[in-house]
Amino acid sequence: MSTAAGQAADTTGERLPILIAPHPALRAKARRVRPEDLDLVRDLLPKLFATMYAAPGIGLAAPQVGVGLKLAVVDLQPDDKPAPMVLINPEVIAVSEDQVMREEGCLSLPGQYADVSRPARVRVRHEDETGARHEFDAEGLLAACVQHELDHLNGILFVDHLTPLRRNMLMRKLAKEQKAKASG
Ligand code: K1U
Ligand code: ZN
């Protein structure tokens, strides 16, 4: 079977527009993918990967392109080699007690970065595009990225992990930069 992960290295596919905060769709909770959604999901996956690679990014959640399904793609491209992951109905089922601080960005908040504290390691349960269930342990950048993508599926942005002061500063900076970009 040709899987979305197998096709993912194809970066020439159709790209989708990425929603920019404060778009309300980024604040909605995504719904679970059901078996009857899998044809739509299989059609969407190459577009999600092409959009993520072109951005460029290391993750992309379906709500960031206006699709309210619990679906995300991740590829950290270790050693510059594609390592695509498809996360359908992902859940964090265990977290480490220790937290680490790491700088995060977001394709829906272009140009904005901040240090975010999250559990250092997580165990994730998810399905793939064939409906098969999987679990894996993540640490380092993968742990941060997976938690960031799962947040998107719950309408949460990385700025929500910051103090209100820092969050407001970043959101105001984003609005100003987007306005300047729109006016040429
Ligand atoms: O979900 C997103 O908005 C994607 C986001 C994921 C993420 C980045 C950093 C920490 C946690 C989660 C991005 O991919 S932002 C772009 C980025 O980090 C990057 C881009 C190119 C090469 C390496 C990193
Ligand atoms: Zn993001």
Side-chain angles (χ1 to χ4, degrees), residues 126-134:
H126 68 99
E127 295 156 28
D128 66 22
E129 67 274 26
T130 71
R133 289 178 76 178
H134 303 273

Side-chain angles (χ1 to χ4, degrees), residues 60-104:
L60 186 66
Q64 292 180 275
V65 295
V67 177
L69 291 177
K70 288 197 180 290
L71 164 67
V73 294
V74 169
D75 191 345
L76 266 49
Q77 300 197 49
D79 307 320
D80 287 336
K81 291 197 196 90
M85 300 175 68
V86 172
L87 304 178
I88 296 175
N89 296 329
E91 299 167 72
V92 169
I93 57 170
V95 298
S96 63
E97 276 182 22
D98 52 321
Q99 301 243 334
V100 284
M101 192 84 104
R102 178 180 283 276
E103 186 175 74
E104 295 193 15

